Amino acid sequence: GEDVEQSLFLSVREGDSSVINCTYTDSSSTYLYWYKQEPGAGLQLLTYIFSNMDMKQDQRLTVLLNKKDKHLSLRIADTQTGDSAIYFCAESFNSYNQGGKLIFGQGTELSVKP
Amino acid sequence: EAGVTQFPSHSVIEKGQTVTLRCDPISGHDNLYWYRRVMGKEIKFLLHFVKESKQDESGMPNNRFLAERTGGTYSTLKVQPAELEDSGVYFCASSGDRVEAFFGQGTRLTVV
């Protein structure tokens, strides 16, 4: 079945790197996503990775995918107080130009201390 | 370009009452989704429209929930009658012909 797991909380100091981890059970997923939810706001798509890729980098964000272990991580370099939010991992099973549902994890609350 | 808009942002109703949530997707997006997050748990899929048709409604919890998408534009999600366990944040999302789905701010529903 489809199941996505994340740790619930992470606390880091400003300037440090943050690593948020996610594991999933269904290896047939095609895309994996990271969404960010700031307090009182909706879900913002941060980045996504195609399942046949190992890594994707976008400015301070690095996504690593280990398909053998079904493990996805999001590294935020030089973490700032504005990065404090809930981060959701999600997977989908559709192709690029098709719609389809996302399976989300519980979200990891990142707290950045000055 | 306007994003996904949801209305209302908050709703407090009594058990047994009816509530209707509205979602306006990004213009031109054929795919529209409803999701729900209950009590800090994972965000769960409810259903998926392609234009005005229900593509996948496997996540709808029971027949107290009715979703419609008139003319393939905005969508409504009605809960009738509401129960305490329906409390949560209801998110709407839309996507076009690409893999990214864009989410609205959510409607926080509290049933008392």
Side-chain angles (χ1 to χ4, degrees), chain B residues 4-103:
Chain B
V4 176
T5 307
Q6 292 187 246
F7 182 83
S9 54
H10 294 87
S11 180
V12 181
I13 62 170
E14 291 184 353
K15 178 182 167 181
Q17 288 187 321
T18 297
V19 64
T20 300
L21 313 181
R22 175 172 168 141
C23 170
D24 287 77
I26 292 172
S27 177
H29 279 188
D30 287 342
N31 296 289
L32 187 148
Y33 312 85
W34 284 98
Y35 290 86
R36 177 174 74 171
R37 189 177 191 219
V38 173
M39 287 182 62
K41 296 189 176 179
E42 72 272 22
I43 299 169
K44 283 201 168 181
F45 168 82
L46 297 178
L47 89 160
H48 170 204
F49 283 100
V50 178
K51 297 184 181 178
E52 67 275 10
S53 300
K54 291 176 186 173
Q55 179 79 10
D56 180 356
E57 52 183 328
S58 60
M60 293 288 265
N62 51 60
N63 59 9
R64 294 186 294 104
F65 288 75
L66 175 64
E68 293 178 324
R69 190 179 182 194
T70 308
T73 55
Y74 71 92
S75 175
T76 57
L77 179 65
K78 184 194 292 190
V79 185
Q80 179 183 30
E83 298 289 344
L84 298 178
E85 64 263 25
D86 300 333
S87 296
V89 181
Y90 289 77
F91 290 103
C92 175
S94 71
S95 68
D97 59 355
R98 298 175 66 180
V99 71
E100 301 101 319
F102 299 89
F103 281 74

Side-chain angles (χ1 to χ4, degrees), chain A residues 7 10 12 17-21 71 73-76 79 108 110:
Chain A
S7 53
L10 176 66
V12 300
S17 291
S18 308
V19 179
I20 303 171
N21 294 300
H71 183 266
S73 68
L74 174 70
R75 178 177 181 270
I76 306 173
T79 313
T108 299
L110 174 65

Side-chain angles (χ1 to χ4, degrees), chain A residues 33 35 42 96-97 100 102 106, chain B residues 33 35 37 98-99 101 105:
Chain A
Y33 305 76
Y35 280 85
Y96 186 78
N97 59 353
L102 297 174
Q106 310 96 307
Chain B
Y33 312 85
Y35 290 86
R37 189 177 191 219
R98 298 175 66 180
V99 71
Q105 305 261 62

Side-chain angles (χ1 to χ4, degrees), chain A residues 32-67:
Chain A
L32 295 117
Y33 305 76
W34 285 103
Y35 280 85
K36 175 184 180 183
Q37 186 185 23
E38 296 182 24
L43 294 168
Q44 173 196 355
L45 176 63
L46 282 180
T47 186
Y48 65 90
I49 187 168
F50 186 45
S51 60
N52 71 353
M53 294 172 64
D54 299 324
M55 186 182 88
K56 181 177 182 181
Q57 187 151 5
D58 184 1
Q59 299 180 343
R60 292 190 298 122
L61 305 179
T62 303
V63 178
L64 294 178
L65 175 60
N66 181 330
K67 199 164 183 183

